[in-house]
Amino acid sequence: MYKILKAEKLAEKIFLMDVEAPRVARSCQPGEFVIVKMDEKGERIPLTICDFDREKGTVTIVFQIVGASTLKMSELQAGDAFQDFVGPLGQPSEFVKEDFEEVKGRKYLFVAGGVGTAPVYPQVKWMKQHGIDADVIVGAKNKDLLILEDMMKEQAGNLYITTDDGSYVRKGMVTDVIKDLVENQGKQYDVCVAIGPMIMMKFVCKLTKELNIPTIVSMNPIMVDGTGMCGACRLTVGDEVKFACVDGPEFDGHLVNFDEAMKRQQMYKTEEGRAMLKAVE
Ligand code: FES
């Protein structure tokens, strides 16, 4: 069993948990994910890792209520435990695997949307730990849905916050901030990492393509069981077929077919949709 040491509500429907999982904590890297299961009959829920403490042996996860399983999960308290906490799974972020001299010479821009702020956090933290100042944009629908602001402030070189409704800091989309930084403030970026809702990643990629900034996205939102078996996370990247949970979750955003991925995501939200997809595959 994997004990929950801390359970905290971050915002409406968004929760953070510190889980005692020493083996995962010892080896996990930014970009990877875990699969949690509450009990014998529970659904397997893939979640990207938000933070980890190798010494304490803890892993931090952040999740949003999207259905019955995550609703049940949100009711767990410190002292409760998960039956399974499997990981680390997936591939670590590119920069973890690349030659550090090259990574050090680049200017990174991280773009986080909504609950996508959680998987961006360990990446920005990694940058700071390695002496790299990264610019970070965090977007939320409104002030109440903004998460991890203080934690992110500690790790980011510059943090730019925006809200769709203007209830905090500035009004506008994350793409407005990117445009402002590049076009008005003369900032130059070598790599953009965008993680958030699919529609946000789609529009960030459209813009960064125009601006000529290579962009990495995380396709975690389309994962269902995270095992490579259900087929839900199949996507087209360039002219190749990939599975987010096995080959990703991070991919070259300029090559991802977002429209197709979003259609599949919609289908997988319903039981009938899942049956339909299975029938045509
Ligand atoms: Fe099921 Fe990837 S999430 S195959």
Side-chain angles (χ1 to χ4, degrees):
M1 298 296 270
Y2 300 84
K3 200 163 159 198
I4 299 166
L5 302 179
K6 180 168 117 180
E8 193 187 321
K9 185 174 181 180
L10 295 180
E12 191 54 35
K13 293 190 177 173
I14 306 176
F15 295 81
L16 174 147
M17 284 176 185
D18 283 347
V19 182
E20 196 174 55
R23 203 187 52 80
V24 180
R26 228 178 1 250
S27 59
C28 65
Q29 297 283 5
E32 294 176 327
F33 68 96
V34 291
I35 292 179
V36 303
K37 209 170 116 180
M38 273 173 284
D39 48 45
E40 200 50 58
K41 290 191 203 115
E43 199 182 335
R44 301 160 61 93
I45 306 170
L47 295 166
T48 29
I49 292 166
C50 170
D51 200 5
F52 48 85
D53 186 321
R54 301 211 198 280
E55 273 168 31
K56 285 193 198 142
T58 57
V59 174
T60 306
I61 49 171
V62 169
F63 63 93
Q64 192 165 20
I65 299 177
V66 289
S69 298
T70 36
L71 175 64
K72 202 169 151 206
M73 200 168 135
S74 72
E75 285 156 9
L76 297 176
Q77 302 290 333
D80 292 336
F82 290 107
Q83 170 163 332
D84 278 340
F85 196 89
V86 183
L89 298 164
Q91 305 294 324
S93 302
E94 269 311 293
F95 56 77
V96 176
K97 299 180 281 182
E98 283 174 314
D99 178 46
F100 183 61
E101 284 308 309
E102 275 183 39
V103 173
K104 213 169 60 178
R106 295 189 195 128
K107 185 72 191 160
Y108 279 82
L109 172 65
F110 288 89
V111 182
V115 78
T117 310
V120 167
Y121 177 76
Q123 305 202 13
V124 177
K125 188 174 170 184
W126 186 97
M127 291 281 159
K128 169 106 185 222
Q129 281 170 342
H130 289 80
I132 303 169
D133 272 347
D135 281 0
V136 182
I137 301 171
V138 175
K141 275 205 181 101
N142 56 51
K143 186 178 192 293
D144 294 340
L145 290 173
L146 182 72
I147 59 166
L148 309 176
E149 182 188 0
D150 292 342
M151 280 165 69
M152 199 62 106
K153 210 178 269 167
E154 268 175 38
Q155 309 297 339
N158 293 298
L159 176 63
Y160 306 92
I161 289 172
T162 188
T163 44
D164 295 2
D165 67 352
S167 53
Y168 192 51
V169 189
R170 63 178 279 168
K171 182 177 167 51
M173 303 288 160
V174 290
T175 42
D176 298 327
V177 186
I178 301 176
K179 255 193 230 157
D180 187 29
L181 292 175
V182 174
E183 289 170 359
N184 302 333
Q185 301 190 34
K187 295 249 188 182
Q188 288 184 340
Y189 298 104
D190 301 300
V191 182
C192 170
V193 177
I195 308 181
M198 297 278 266
I199 192 79
M200 179 207 94
M201 294 193 284
K202 175 182 164 171
F203 282 103
V204 167
C205 287
K206 193 166 171 276
L207 175 63
T208 55
K209 212 170 187 175
E210 285 162 27
L211 297 172
N212 231 342
I213 309 169
T215 300
I216 308 287
V217 295
S218 173
M219 298 305 278
N220 182 49
I222 60 169
M223 294 200 284
V224 172
D225 71 349
T227 61
M229 314 266 280
C230 74
C233 69
R234 202 182 70 190
L235 74 157
T236 310
V237 183
D239 50 15
E240 288 180 283
V241 171
K242 301 275 186 190
F243 288 87
C245 66
V246 180
D247 305 311
E250 295 184 0
F251 296 98
D252 179 342
H254 293 167
L255 296 179
V256 168
N257 184 335
F258 283 102
D259 292 333
E260 178 199 67
M262 281 190 282
K263 233 183 253 164
R264 289 182 65 81
Q265 190 189 26
Q266 280 311 110
M267 297 277 275
Y268 264 93
K269 276 193 181 149
T270 63
E271 203 48 59
E272 313 84 81
R274 286 200 282 271
M276 238 156 90
L277 271 180
K278 281 225 170 76
V280 289
E281 282 168 2

